[in-house]
Amino acid sequence: MPKRRVHVAAAAIFNDQGQVLIARRPSIADQGGLWEFPGGKLAPYETGLEALRRELREELGISIQRAQPLIRVHHEYPDKHILLDVWETHDFEGEPWGREGQAVRWVSPDDLHRYAFPAANGPIIRAVILPHDYLITGEAADEAAFDRMLERALAEDDIKLVQLRAHDLDEKAYQARAERTLARCREHGASLILNCSLETFRAVGADGLHLPSRELMALTHRPVEDGQWLAASTHNEEQLAQAQRLGCDFVTLSPVRETPSHPGAVTIGWHDLQQMVEEVTMPVYALGGTTRDDGDRARAVGAQGIASIREFWR
């Protein structure tokens, strides 16, 4: 017998302090007592956003003024298939409170791991924590130039997620740059992902490890501990599926467009990117010819945001 299919709209609601709202499920409900992002099931003929507006008025007494897609999560339970259609909003009217008697709480995204959520909420938590812009570092004339460009991106562009990519450096030089980069990222509240060997990653103690697609496809288990970010480069459905199996927390998917460094390359395009993102339950950054002007479009087709060297590395 086919499983029951349930379509739920949910919201990551942020206040001016950058906190996100969570609500506790009633004890008599399915998975009662666990925390969740507010929302509810779609009524017949409702869109996700229409259902979200209605549910948040009924549950929290607030009116959503504007919202953007955050992530869509398909999850299999023993008795049902659930689709969580999650939206992000910073623009609402009213002060949320539990109109149905449920507990509600504003929490820092970094503290979400302290709360018990249903299993399907794991990818949502990662999407809430991750920023929408992802800097991949490029070349620099020397270490002083590298430091200046990094500082500009962190201070002026307010970048909060950095991948240190430096294939021209040997292991010793890479580690030295990584340690210096980590200190600067800490000063600006940014997370640092290293594109290097596992040994160097462990020596530096950065926030996460990035896997090039070749290494991704060769692995059979997650190489870093839970609590450390695991990212990967993907270019097709097979690599996306492998990243999912391996437990990657987020990935880049490229090339969306042709780039000056890869003229004539076969590109994915926005339509196919949307289809590919729909098949996985992890945040995906659109990479390859993307700029901040593409941020809304990337999110509209299901991506977490955009990743770029050229846009941020100036």
Side-chain angles (χ1 to χ4, degrees), residues 270-288:
W270 294 110
H271 178 271
D272 286 356
L273 184 139
Q274 181 175 23
Q275 299 301 312
M276 294 164 74
V277 168
E278 185 73 15
E279 297 301 317
V280 295
T281 55
M282 60 189 164
V284 176
Y285 287 93
L287 172 64

Side-chain angles (χ1 to χ4, degrees), residues 2-301:
K3 288 184 179 179
R4 180 166 55 100
R5 300 181 69 86
V6 181
H7 190 171
V8 173
I13 305 167
F14 288 86
N15 63 15
D16 292 339
Q17 290 73 49
Q19 296 172 308
V20 66
L21 190 74
I22 57 175
R24 176 172 274 166
R25 296 179 63 80
S27 58
I28 60 173
D30 183 29
Q31 303 196 66
L34 299 181
W35 293 85
E36 65 180 358
F37 297 94
K41 298 175 186 177
L42 272 67
Y45 309 114
E46 277 187 323
T47 66
L49 187 55
E50 288 170 344
L52 192 68
R53 293 183 190 278
R54 175 183 53 75
E55 287 285 346
L56 297 186
R57 283 195 303 269
E58 295 172 357
E59 290 187 12
L60 303 174
I62 62 174
S63 176
I64 294 297
Q65 305 301 301
R66 190 175 67 90
Q68 284 185 292
L70 180 63
I71 192 171
R72 286 164 59 90
V73 176
H74 294 267
H75 190 85
E76 297 288 344
Y77 285 106
D79 60 334
K80 61 189 174 185
H81 174 101
I82 188 168
L83 168 60
L84 291 168
D85 187 3
V86 188
W87 296 70
E88 176 181 340
T89 183
H90 301 254
D91 189 2
F92 59 93
E93 291 185 352
E95 184 62 33
W97 61 286
R99 295 188 66 190
E100 298 174 347
Q102 75 276 30
V104 298
R105 186 173 298 177
W106 290 108
V107 301
S108 166
D110 291 335
D111 289 335
L112 287 172
H113 68 278
R114 302 177 185 273
Y115 297 83
F117 285 82
N121 281 236
I124 305 172
I125 292 171
R126 291 189 283 276
V128 166
I129 294 172
L130 287 167
H132 298 299
D133 296 328
Y134 182 18
L135 161 66
I136 302 172
T137 64
E139 297 179 357
D142 51 40
E143 293 305 302
F146 178 92
D147 291 347
R148 286 195 301 271
M149 295 165 79
L150 176 66
E151 182 66 23
R152 189 210 57 76
L154 294 170
E156 297 180 20
D157 282 343
D158 196 30
I159 292 295
K160 296 301 182 187
L161 184 62
V162 177
Q163 180 196 138
L164 178 56
R165 182 179 183 271
H167 297 323
D168 56 324
L169 299 183
D170 61 28
E171 287 287 315
K172 183 177 180 181
Y174 183 96
Q175 182 171 335
R177 182 180 287 184
E179 290 170 348
R180 203 171 64 252
T181 301
L182 181 60
R184 281 176 168 76
C185 286
R186 290 283 184 268
E187 292 172 3
H188 291 275
S191 296
L192 178 62
I193 311 299
L194 298 187
N195 187 335
C196 65
S197 69
L198 186 58
E199 292 73 24
T200 299
F201 166 71
R202 288 172 173 162
V204 174
D207 301 290
L209 177 68
H210 176 85
L211 301 173
S213 55
R214 182 178 299 179
E215 293 182 22
L216 168 71
M217 299 307 292
L219 289 172
T220 57
H221 64 278
R222 182 182 169 94
V224 302
E225 298 177 2
D226 291 339
Q228 296 175 316
W229 292 113
L230 181 64
S233 294
T234 66
H235 309 285
N236 54 46
E237 292 92 340
E238 182 184 9
Q239 292 170 1
L240 278 171
Q242 169 67 354
Q244 184 90 53
R245 285 191 297 269
L246 206 61
C248 286
D249 297 300
F250 64 94
V251 299
T252 60
L253 179 56
S254 66
V256 177
R257 293 196 184 106
E258 186 174 306
T259 64
S261 59
H262 296 84
V266 177
T267 59
I268 296 170
W270 294 110
H271 178 271
D272 286 356
L273 184 139
Q274 181 175 23
Q275 299 301 312
M276 294 164 74
V277 168
E278 185 73 15
E279 297 301 317
V280 295
T281 55
M282 60 189 164
V284 176
Y285 287 93
L287 172 64
T290 54
T291 71
R292 267 186 165 165
D293 290 339
D294 295 312
D296 287 345
R297 187 172 190 179
R299 295 179 65 186
V301 299

